[in-house]
Each structure stands twice: as C-alpha cells, then as structure tokens.
C-alpha cells in the first residue's frame, strides 16, 4: 500500500531527528572522499551536513519520495538530488567513497538481505554507514499497532507499511560476513517534546503516517483522536515537557581494500 511523505511535518522536530545523523557521520573516518551519497535523504537538511564535512566531494541525495526531493531541491545548494529506490539504486562511476543511509532501511522488510548489494556500491576502502530506529516495542509504536488491528480500522490498515529493524549485533555480524571492519552500537535519546500532542505530531510524520493515510477521511479523524488520547496517557506532560525515549541502532562499516 503506497503512501506519501510531508516534508514540513517531518521537519517539525528536525533537531531531535538530526542528532543521530550527526553521531553517525562523526564515526566515519573518511579522508578526502570524492563521492558521497545520502541514500534515503528525505528533505535534504541533513545531506547538507555531508557537504560541510567533505567540501571537496561530489555530494548527492536519493529518496523514493518526490515530495521530499522537491523540498530538498529548493533549500539545499551545491548538492544533487534525485528520486530513486534504495532497492535498485546503483552507484555512479563504479562506486562511492561514502554511502550513508539515515532512518531509511527500517522501511524495507528485507533490508538485512539488501546489505551485500549496498556494500557492493562502495569502493574498496570506502565507508557504508547507517542508522535505524530500534524503538518498535515502545508505546509510540505498539499503541498504533494495537489500535490499527481493531475494528473498524483493520479493514483499511492491514496492508499499511510498518517499520522494523534488528539489534546492533545482528548488523555487526552481517557486515563482518561481507568482509567489512565494523563499528556498531546503540543509543537511547531522551527527547523532551513540547506543544499539543507532541508524540502524535512526531509519529504522524514518520512511523504512523502509512497507517493514517490508509484510512478514509472520516475514519482517520476518529483514529487520530483515539491515538492521541492513548499517547497522552502513555507519555504524560508534568509541565516540563513530554519525555520520548528513542533507541537508535548504528553501524559504520569500512569495506576491505583489495
């Protein structure tokens, strides 16, 4: 079941969403790369950090969402953006020096099997780094899953995309099996969110978006109201902001030299 993305909604918590990206690229020890690609670049605001990190490189961003690429193209100068699918993307000119994928692979149920092909797009001695959410057992996800499985919603939401990921050790071993030198870890961020129904605002821009778009208008409003109520109970605001724990899984791999 297809869905679309809203760049402005996604960017509501841009600083919080950007922290894992910064932590990820800090661990990439690439010196003077010539080609850097952000695979699943979204609205491009973080791709700009790659251009700042490696000003001598040709930096490009690829995303399957035309809406995200349109946003990126109007706000980021000096970076090439294109619509493309992670599953069939092919690196230009025989490979890239740095390949980054931030909060994208969790949308591909077979992404573990996709890792060999992605590593193959990196030149020998180059770097492949990615980050995925690891919080799918948290109320921000389980409440949506439970609610979507109930009547009258389930008839519409059964085919909606649902993100998933593995633990850091699984990614470490998978990349080691491909001959890479690997640094893998996890971090739980404690985001303090403010505003009206901030957790709903967060999830409606990412993990819950396919479920919400699968519902017809009237039923969507009913679903949203119930989801907001349950999220408020799970993430109470004591006057100092709502705390959203968010676990992230990281892997930075260097492809072996030939």
């Amino acid at each position: 079941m297809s869905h679309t993305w809203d760049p402005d909604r996604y960017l509501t918590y841009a600083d919080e969403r950007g922290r894992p990206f910064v932590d990820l690229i800090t661990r990439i020890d690439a010196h003077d790369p010539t080609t850097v690609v952000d695979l699943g670049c979204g609205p491009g605001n973080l791709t700009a950090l790659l251009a700042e990190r490696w000003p001598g490189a040709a930096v490009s961003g690829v995303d399957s969402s035309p809406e995200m690429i349109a946003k990126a193209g109007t706000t980021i100068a000096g970076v090439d953006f294109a619509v493309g699918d992670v599953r069939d993307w092919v690196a230009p000119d025989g490979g890239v020096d740095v390949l980054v994928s931030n909060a994208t692979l969790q949308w591909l149920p077979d992404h573990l099997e996709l890792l060999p092909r992605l590593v193959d797009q990196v030149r020998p001695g180059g770097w492949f780094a990615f980050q995925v959410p690891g919080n799918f057992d948290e109320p921000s996800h389980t409440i949506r899953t439970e609610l979507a499985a109930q009547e009258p919603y389930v008839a519409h939401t059964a085919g909606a995309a649902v993100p998933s990921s593995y633990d850091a050790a699984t990614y470490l071993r998978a990349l080691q099996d491909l001959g890479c030198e690997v640094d893998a870890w996890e971090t739980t961020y404690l985001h303090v969110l403010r505003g009206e129904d901030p957790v709903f605002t967060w999830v409606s821009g990412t993990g819950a978006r396919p479920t919400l778009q699968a519902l017809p208008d009237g039923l969507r409003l009913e679903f949203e109201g119930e989801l907001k109520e349950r999220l408020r109970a799970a993430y109470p605001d004591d006057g100092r902001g709502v705390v959203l724990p968010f676990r992230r899984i990281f892997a930075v791999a260097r492809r072996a030299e030939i």
Side-chain angles (χ1 to χ4, degrees), residues 233-256:
Y235 299 94
D237 188 346
D238 64 358
R240 294 174 292 177
V242 173
V243 176
L244 176 68
F246 204 120
R247 176 173 169 250
R248 301 273 185 173
I249 310 298
F250 301 81
V252 175
R254 189 179 189 199
R255 188 175 180 186

Side-chain angles (χ1 to χ4, degrees), residues 28-165:
I28 303 173
D29 192 24
H31 302 283
D32 300 320
T34 59
T35 309
V36 177
V37 173
D38 185 359
L39 198 54
C41 63
N45 58 309
L46 298 176
T47 314
L49 299 180
L50 299 177
E52 293 176 8
R53 171 80 184 275
W54 295 291
V59 178
S60 59
V62 179
D63 200 280
S64 62
S65 167
E67 295 82 7
M68 289 292 198
I69 292 298
K71 179 73 171 181
T74 62
T75 58
I76 311 300
V79 177
D80 293 324
F81 292 99
V83 176
D85 193 308
V86 172
R87 288 163 290 199
D88 54 27
W89 173 79
V90 177
D93 302 324
V96 300
D97 296 307
V98 177
L99 178 60
V100 177
S101 184
N102 182 64
T104 296
L105 296 181
Q106 75 274 8
W107 289 106
L108 306 176
D110 60 345
H111 70 264
L112 198 63
E113 289 72 33
L114 189 64
L115 295 184
R117 202 186 73 77
L118 292 177
V119 170
D120 282 344
Q121 307 308 308
V122 178
R123 295 190 182 106
W127 298 79
F128 171 44
F130 66 88
Q131 174 271 129
V132 291
N135 67 330
F136 300 116
D137 57 353
E138 291 290 327
S140 56
H141 285 276
T142 59
I143 289 173
R144 182 208 69 232
T145 301
E146 293 165 0
L147 188 58
Q150 297 176 8
E151 297 290 352
Y153 311 120
V154 65
H156 303 279
T157 60
V162 176
S164 63
S165 64

